[in-house]
Amino acid sequence: MRNKWSENKHNLSKESSPDSGLSLFAQLRSIIFTGGTWFTLLFLLILGITSCRKSQKEIQADIVEYHITCNPDSLQWLMDHASEDHYIPIEITRDGETLPARMRVRGDTSRGFPKKSLKIKLDKADGTEETLNLNAEYLDKSYMHQHISSAVFRLLGEPCFTTSYAPVHMNGEYYGLFVRVENVDEDFLIRNGMDQNGNLYKASRDGASLTPEDDFNYHWEKKSNTNESWSDLSRLIADIDTCDQQSILPYVKSHFDYPSLVSHVAANIYLCNGSTYYHNYFLYHDVYGTGLWKMIAWDLDKTLSHYDWKSPFEMNNGADADNALLSKLLLNEKFLAEVEARLSDIHKLVTEAGIISHMETLMPRLETWVNLDKRDKLESVEDWKAQIAKDISFIEKNEEKRKQSLHDDLQPFQVFDLRREPMIKPVFRWQEIPDYKSKGINYRLYLSQDRTFEDSLKTIVREVSDTVYVPDAPLPAGRWYYKVVARQGEKYLTGYGRHYYTDVDDTPIVPGWTGNTMKLTSAGSPYYLGSDLHISGGQNLIIMPGTRLYLDTGVSIRIEGQLICEGTSENRIQIRCASGEGSWKMIEFDHCEKDVFITHTDISNGRLVYHNTDVVLRHVVFRNFTANLNDIPSRPSLIWGENGNFVMDSCAMWGNQTGEGMNLHGGYPRVTNSFFTRIPDAIEFIEADSGLIAGNVVQFCKDDAIDMNACENVVVSRNVLLYNGDKAISVGVDHHGSSHRILIENNYIVGNRTGCDIKDSSDAVIRNNVFYKQQTAVRARQKEPGYQKGGDVIVERNVLFGSEQSELLKSEGNSNIVQSGNYANKKLDGATYIDSTLFFRLSGTPFIPSAYIQPGQLPLLESSVNLIVEESGITIAHHFPVPVDFGGCVVWDGHRGKVIPMGTVVRSGETIVLYKGKKKDLPDNWHLGNYVRWEDLSEGIRMEIAPGVVYNLTDENGKWICKGSGTWGNSEN
């Protein structure tokens, strides 16, 4: 609750102020108290009109004096311990009212300056507390950077702190001129129309850069909901880390207030704010509303002419990590174009608001206070006026200069990330900056075991004209940090990735033979193969748990004998590329003497190929960071096989959108319970008979998720297929003919271009699936020449949910679609209409609660999300194979809708209870974990219970308030 002090309507008395005369506000206020009701109404009318005009056209600068009284010894002690957050008791008088308060030194590096900034906590009469931030502005000789820059953000409609000027008197003597900066807190959120129950985070220290290296305990402060989880910020950082410069833009558009973010970045570029993104900003997460993030500016003293020389792409202090979000966005041409367009809007607003005339008018009002200040960095009043003249000149020329800076010869570039896994021969690569003007661009690589690159004895510096560097000699084992600086004459720009590093493994050995056996062990690791290895018939390759094996670029292992490669969950086997350049070639099984079993193994930047061999993979993870599979002739896939039975269970593939996932020819393949991301054509069966594709998650693949050609009797069941670029499931032909008797059931198909595509005389039964957000849910058509008909499809008991622009069923050419018993949200003959309010809206995806489903109708949904609505609350039991974000879902209990708080992520096997009632006292040790949550829908209060903990909490009367259990592993803090 704010009192009259926080309304920024103050004036100086004639006796104490060098600013002559009472303000219009003060004169009208005096009339009110003497003129009665008529004058009051007149005043309110005038005030409303002028306030409206001021908010649109004028920038205000109030001057409010502060008189502080404290023990002089305590004040000296406070200054002597300025680096620590100690408060001393004070009394403060403002606008004729005196209140008790506490005062400390505030800021980061500014605590070492002769004139220190102050934070004051006032104890107000109503029992609440008000925070004052009085900034010394020691480095800003104009005293105007915070004031003008924050006004520019507000002109854009962006939430930003307000300012006023504060002459401070300490123990009866003038202490100096300060700038009062509004505290970003609950009152700030309310004033800016934001939900005060959202999560507000402050990037408080250098290095708060939204990277996995961020230390929450050191770099960040949580300013609201302080007793609750930080999991939303943790998840945001993890998501950004996995986005590249193409995928970052769609991610940001769905997770941020995107127009606001464009304005925020454009304003920082316009203002030359070179002291942000690695600190000095807030992040706000609207967890109970839109679910979107917003960036809020903070500490704008180093703006305007201060960093006029700095490239808008050099967003760092030189020692800490680049901001991952902004760096990746500025690598995206579409985002940069939107920012550039916004610069013109900003300059127009600045011109219309009369910023320059405001600065000129403000100068005589501040001159006396500036002249009396003996603690600032100014040599004279003339020095101060010269700085303001410099800033005015900056604004006059700013629009064109900033746009030119976005088209500078040195454009943002990406350094290749080697953090993903250790290696023994790292190769350092980076993007080339186009040299359109042929001026010549050179690169300087810094390579050091010192993270700051300041220790010259530990730092290697190389001048490179190319975009690759291979070390002259093997690097010693350990962690090596690296960064790349592009140079063109006196200009320079650091590539994104100055916080990257590579872990170099110990000096490897070349494995040897003992008789007919080559045995690799954890104790003997790491091993290195610099040339091809052949395991012929009668020979054995045994790879023991915990082994680390490196293959050089282009190297293969060919096995005709026996392979034993069985790690454990505690000691996984690692098969990696020795170099950061390219990939090893493949492990090839050819008519092996025994079946191949590979378990608990990580295979990075290489392929598996089999011929006439049965292969079983369990708990195997494929990661492709460096291999360009498109360079491989024919079928460029991570797994290529023919004429063998193939089993993959509980595995994963992480790709780089090149090549394909698997091409399995013939046999009886089974791919179950596995995870695929960024893998085009992730699962492809060719001429398979009686195959099974079940329980898998396939997402963000730029081509198809599941592809079947010339197959028979394949079941595709219980898969989650999300946001793939082409088809979720394709049923078609190969040179041996069409596909027949394909059963597609109980799948969850969301956000792909086409859900199911049945082509060229192929047939399929599609039942009990959910289709949502496709351009076309089910399509039957002729594609290849030589086939006289298209697809023959039965579509029954599915949920078909489409937008106005999408099609549910599409039959082309000589195709046949027979549908019955379906649910649809659009006109579909014979289908049952579904009102969209019956859907859970889950991060843009739907579920239908089981309460609305008849037994046996939709087994996928019935067994996945069990919703129980009771008078006391709502229980959600979740058994779907992927995490589901229930945030923002409207749950209907027959009377009204209840909104589930944003960020309520439920994992498979987890039960969550949302209690409808008032919060009671809870035990002291209730905060045990992050995932099983108790949510108070009436007050927005949540409680978290650790996974694996069975709980049954009651109030003082013994009535239960929440109960349930968490059964899955705790994977993040």
Side-chain angles (χ1 to χ4, degrees):
M1 181 176 179
R2 293 167 291 179
N3 65 7
K4 61 182 180 180
W5 284 358
S6 60
E7 298 300 326
N8 296 325
K9 298 293 183 183
H10 310 297
N11 64 292
L12 292 166
S13 65
K14 290 183 179 180
E15 291 79 10
S16 61
S17 170
D19 184 28
S20 60
L22 287 173
S23 66
L24 173 63
F25 178 86
Q27 296 174 50
L28 287 171
R29 183 176 59 184
S30 67
I31 294 173
I32 288 173
F33 292 112
T34 59
T37 304
W38 187 87
F39 286 105
T40 302
L41 293 174
L42 176 62
F43 166 73
L44 293 173
L45 177 62
I46 295 172
L47 179 61
I49 295 172
T50 56
S51 296
C52 179
R53 186 187 302 120
K54 288 175 181 177
S55 65
Q56 296 176 20
K57 297 292 184 181
E58 299 179 19
I59 308 301
Q60 297 303 298
D62 297 315
I63 302 175
V64 182
E65 291 185 69
Y66 295 83
H67 294 265
I68 298 172
T69 303
C70 64
N71 185 302
D73 293 336
S74 297
L75 179 62
Q76 185 59 51
W77 182 89
L78 186 66
M79 296 299 122
D80 292 341
H81 296 81
S83 61
E84 304 167 20
D85 287 346
H86 295 299
Y87 282 92
I88 64 170
I90 65 171
E91 282 191 344
I92 184 168
T93 301
R94 174 180 60 177
D95 203 23
E97 187 174 2
T98 301
L99 285 176
R102 296 169 293 136
M103 181 175 72
R104 70 167 172 86
V105 176
R106 68 174 302 271
D108 192 3
T109 56
S110 64
R111 295 181 187 228
F113 298 152
K115 183 181 177 184
K116 304 182 192 307
S117 299
L118 305 172
K119 182 178 284 288
I120 298 173
K121 302 277 190 179
L122 297 97
D123 299 320
K124 298 193 293 185
D126 60 3
T128 60
E129 187 177 71
E130 179 186 354
T131 299
L132 293 177
N133 298 307
L134 301 181
N135 284 14
E137 304 301 284
Y138 185 75
L139 294 182
D140 176 18
K141 292 185 176 183
S142 73
Y143 281 97
M144 291 194 183
H145 290 174
Q146 299 256 31
H147 176 61
I148 296 300
S149 297
S150 63
V152 170
F153 274 97
R154 295 195 304 276
L155 284 171
L156 279 167
E158 291 303 302
C160 195
F161 56 85
T162 58
T163 62
S164 63
Y165 285 93
V168 173
H169 305 266
M170 191 76 69
N171 292 329
E173 295 183 2
Y174 181 59
Y175 195 70
L177 179 63
F178 290 74
V179 175
R180 184 205 62 82
V181 174
E182 180 187 14
N183 206 48
V184 178
D185 52 19
E186 180 178 312
D187 280 348
F188 173 89
L189 296 177
I190 294 171
R191 186 176 65 79
N192 285 279
M194 303 160 75
D195 183 1
Q196 69 268 32
N197 294 312
N199 283 341
L200 182 66
Y201 296 95
K202 181 183 180 182
S204 57
R205 291 181 182 268
D206 291 3
S209 302
L210 295 174
T211 75
E213 283 73 39
D214 288 20
D215 181 346
F216 289 169
N217 292 325
Y218 179 78
H219 294 116
W220 290 87
E221 296 177 35
K222 199 163 194 273
K223 293 295 188 179
S224 64
N225 304 322
T226 54
N227 291 325
E228 295 185 15
S229 169
W230 294 53
S231 59
D232 58 341
L233 180 60
S234 176
R235 188 161 59 248
L236 177 69
I237 290 174
D239 288 348
I240 292 171
D241 185 54
T242 58
C243 287
D244 58 21
Q245 62 193 74
Q246 280 74 43
S247 60
I248 189 67
L249 193 57
Y251 176 83
V252 164
K253 285 185 175 181
S254 62
H255 289 80
F256 277 78
D257 181 341
Y258 184 70
S260 172
L261 184 61
V262 171
S263 293
H264 183 95
V265 174
N268 272 329
I269 290 174
Y270 182 86
L271 297 167
C272 284
N273 186 10
S275 182
T276 189
Y277 301 137
Y278 60 93
H279 70 164
N280 286 346
Y281 62 96
F282 285 86
L283 279 177
Y284 171 76
H285 189 197
D286 187 12
V287 294
Y288 287 89
T290 64
L292 300 177
W293 290 86
K294 183 188 285 287
M295 192 170 277
I296 301 171
W298 181 247
D299 205 357
L300 297 168
D301 60 324
K302 297 188 178 105
T303 52
L304 303 181
S305 62
H306 186 97
Y307 278 128
D308 190 13
W309 54 273
K310 196 172 186 179
S311 166
F313 308 125
E314 191 69 42
M315 303 178 301
N316 198 277
N317 63 350
D320 294 294
D322 298 304
N323 185 288
L325 172 67
L326 271 298
S327 296
K328 289 181 178 182
L329 281 174
L330 292 178
L331 287 165
N332 187 286
E333 293 181 357
K334 292 181 180 179
F335 179 79
L336 206 55
E338 291 189 64
V339 168
E340 182 176 1
R342 198 73 175 107
L343 288 175
S344 297
D345 299 333
I346 296 172
H347 192 71
K348 182 179 179 182
L349 288 169
V350 167
T351 302
E352 291 176 348
I355 290 284
I356 292 177
S357 62
H358 171 71
M359 295 169 71
E360 292 171 340
T361 303
L362 185 56
M363 287 173 65
R365 298 178 61 203
L366 295 178
E367 183 172 346
T368 299
W369 295 123
V370 171
N371 190 42
L372 292 173
D373 193 331
K374 304 305 179 187
R375 286 180 171 84
D376 59 26
K377 203 177 181 182
L378 290 167
E379 296 179 1
S380 63
V381 170
E382 286 68 29
D383 187 16
W384 170 63
K385 292 180 178 178
Q387 180 60 49
I388 295 175
K390 184 179 179 182
D391 287 329
I392 289 174
S393 176
F394 167 90
I395 294 171
E396 289 173 338
K397 304 172 183 177
N398 200 24
E399 178 185 12
E400 201 57 41
K401 191 170 183 179
R402 297 288 77 82
K403 287 185 175 180
Q404 289 175 1
S405 71
L406 294 179
H407 297 279
D408 193 82
D409 295 339
L410 294 181
Q411 289 293 297
F413 67 102
Q414 170 81 57
V415 178
F416 193 80
D417 186 0
L418 299 179
R419 295 174 298 166
R420 305 298 179 185
E421 60 183 19
M423 58 189 65
I424 59 175
K425 296 166 55 178
V427 175
F428 303 93
R429 291 183 173 275
W430 52 93
Q431 289 178 331
E432 182 179 14
I433 300 176
D435 187 11
Y436 296 120
K437 298 180 182 179
S438 300
K439 293 183 178 180
I441 298 175
N442 293 313
Y443 303 93
R444 180 175 293 174
L445 172 75
Y446 294 83
L447 184 61
S448 180
Q449 290 189 292
D450 170 24
R451 188 180 185 278
T452 66
F453 302 96
E454 294 177 355
D455 189 336
S456 59
L457 298 178
K458 295 181 179 179
T459 302
I460 300 170
V461 182
R462 293 289 183 270
E463 302 290 341
V464 185
S465 57
D466 200 356
T467 57
V468 60
Y469 173 73
V470 181
D472 306 328
L475 295 174
R479 177 162 293 184
W480 288 84
Y481 299 92
Y482 60 97
K483 67 177 180 179
V484 179
V485 179
R487 293 185 174 274
Q488 187 182 69
E490 296 298 318
K491 296 180 180 179
Y492 70 90
L493 180 64
T494 307
Y496 169 60
R498 73 174 79 222
H499 61 297
Y500 286 167
Y501 58 82
T502 180
D503 289 321
V504 179
D505 209 338
D506 296 324
T507 303
I509 64 171
V510 177
W513 291 91
T514 301
N516 288 329
T517 299
M518 178 181 287
K519 185 175 183 179
L520 311 182
T521 67
S522 175
S525 297
Y527 295 94
Y528 168 69
L529 290 176
S531 59
D532 292 348
L533 174 65
H534 185 199
I535 308 297
S536 59
Q539 293 182 324
N540 304 306
L541 173 60
I542 301 174
I543 306 177
M544 299 295 290
T547 296
R548 307 192 306 278
L549 172 62
Y550 292 93
L551 282 68
D552 213 340
T553 304
V555 167
S556 292
I557 300 176
R558 181 179 176 83
I559 300 174
E560 297 168 354
Q562 181 180 12
L563 170 70
I564 298 176
C565 182
E566 299 182 36
T568 66
S569 57
E570 295 79 16
N571 293 288
R572 296 181 64 84
I573 293 168
Q574 308 287 339
I575 302 176
R576 302 167 172 150
C577 189
S579 169
E581 182 178 23
S583 64
W584 50 276
K585 190 173 181 181
M586 62 181 167
I587 298 176
E588 184 177 18
F589 307 105
D590 192 358
H591 294 79
C592 289
E593 296 174 342
K594 295 186 178 181
D595 295 349
V596 173
F597 290 88
I598 302 176
T599 64
H600 294 289
T601 298
D602 295 335
I603 299 174
S604 302
N605 303 317
R607 308 170 61 219
L608 292 186
V609 175
Y610 67 86
H611 315 276
N612 301 93
T613 302
D614 292 345
V615 177
V616 177
L617 307 179
R618 287 196 170 92
H619 303 288
V620 176
V621 177
F622 292 83
R623 296 183 178 92
N624 182 31
F625 305 131
T626 58
N628 184 355
L629 297 180
N630 295 333
D631 293 340
I632 299 173
S634 186
R635 295 283 190 178
S637 51
L638 288 174
I639 299 176
W640 190 96
E642 60 180 354
N643 302 325
N645 295 323
F646 178 85
V647 175
M648 171 187 272
D649 183 65
S650 301
C651 297
M653 279 189 175
W654 299 76
N656 60 3
Q657 299 289 26
T658 67
E660 297 179 353
M662 62 183 69
N663 292 124
L664 309 180
H665 300 250
Y668 308 95
R670 297 170 59 90
V671 179
T672 57
N673 306 314
S674 296
F675 177 82
F676 304 83
T677 187
R678 295 169 54 80
I679 303 282
D681 279 353
I683 304 171
E684 182 167 355
F685 289 2
I686 302 172
E687 296 183 79
D689 188 6
S690 302
L692 176 65
I693 303 171
N696 304 289
V697 178
V698 187
Q699 63 179 15
F700 306 124
C701 303
K702 71 176 183 180
D703 205 338
D704 301 337
I706 297 172
D707 200 353
M708 291 167 283
N709 293 311
C711 293
E712 295 188 359
N713 306 310
V714 176
V715 175
V716 182
S717 177
R718 297 182 295 103
N719 300 284
V720 180
L721 310 174
L722 303 174
Y723 300 104
N724 299 287
D726 197 358
K727 298 173 286 290
I729 301 173
S730 176
V731 180
V733 304
D734 194 61
H735 55 279
H736 290 289
S738 306
S739 296
H740 300 288
R741 295 176 297 283
I742 307 300
L743 175 60
I744 300 170
E745 64 175 0
N746 292 330
N747 299 283
Y748 186 63
I749 301 169
V750 174
N752 311 276
R753 191 175 73 172
T754 302
C756 291
D757 192 10
I758 317 300
K759 308 181 290 291
D760 304 325
S761 299
S762 300
D763 60 81
V765 175
I766 301 173
R767 69 187 182 201
N768 294 336
N769 304 280
V770 174
F771 293 89
Y772 180 69
K773 234 176 183 179
Q774 271 75 220
Q775 292 181 17
T776 305
V778 177
R779 182 183 188 187
R781 60 178 174 137
Q782 291 176 256
K783 180 183 178 184
E784 300 294 335
Y787 291 89
Q788 299 304 311
K789 60 182 296 187
D792 193 355
V793 191
I794 296 174
V795 181
E796 59 184 11
R797 301 199 305 275
N798 300 277
V799 175
L800 303 166
F801 196 99
S803 66
E804 293 182 3
Q805 295 77 27
S806 63
E807 296 183 79
L808 300 181
L809 304 178
K810 186 175 184 179
S811 179
E812 302 174 2
N814 188 17
S815 297
N816 183 36
I817 296 179
V818 177
Q819 68 93 13
S820 64
N822 294 292
Y823 295 80
N825 73 317
K826 300 173 63 175
K827 180 176 174 55
L828 186 65
D829 291 341
T832 300
Y833 178 77
I834 302 178
D835 191 321
S836 62
T837 59
L838 300 185
F839 278 79
F840 275 155
R841 297 295 185 87
L842 310 175
S843 296
T845 64
F847 272 95
I848 301 178
S850 59
Y852 300 110
I853 303 171
Q854 297 299 318
Q857 282 185 312
L858 294 169
L860 167 73
L861 299 172
E862 196 173 334
S863 62
S864 299
V865 179
N866 183 28
L867 175 73
I868 302 173
V869 180
E870 300 174 312
E871 182 61 28
S872 56
I874 302 164
T875 301
I876 302 172
H878 173 45
H879 303 285
F880 207 61
V882 293
V884 175
D885 185 351
F886 286 87
C889 301
V890 178
V891 183
W892 294 87
D893 64 357
H895 303 287
R896 63 187 182 92
K898 298 178 178 64
V899 180
I900 298 178
M902 300 303 295
T904 305
V905 177
V906 187
R907 269 86 174 164
S908 182
E910 182 180 26
T911 297
I912 183 168
V913 178
L914 296 100
Y915 176 66
K916 183 175 64 177
K918 297 296 183 181
K919 181 186 177 185
K920 302 295 183 181
D921 292 336
L922 298 173
D924 293 337
N925 61 347
W926 66 266
H927 193 272
L928 302 175
N930 285 336
Y931 293 122
V932 180
R933 284 185 290 273
W934 173 83
E935 307 280 359
D936 185 325
L937 294 179
S938 64
E939 297 182 352
I941 301 169
R942 65 183 60 183
M943 189 186 107
E944 303 175 350
I945 300 294
V949 174
V950 178
Y951 58 94
N952 187 347
L953 299 176
T954 61
D955 62 19
E956 63 270 25
N957 298 317
K959 182 179 178 181
W960 73 268
I961 56 175
C962 64
K963 58 186 176 181
S965 65
T967 59
W968 44 273
N970 191 352
S971 61
E972 64 184 81
N973 184 16

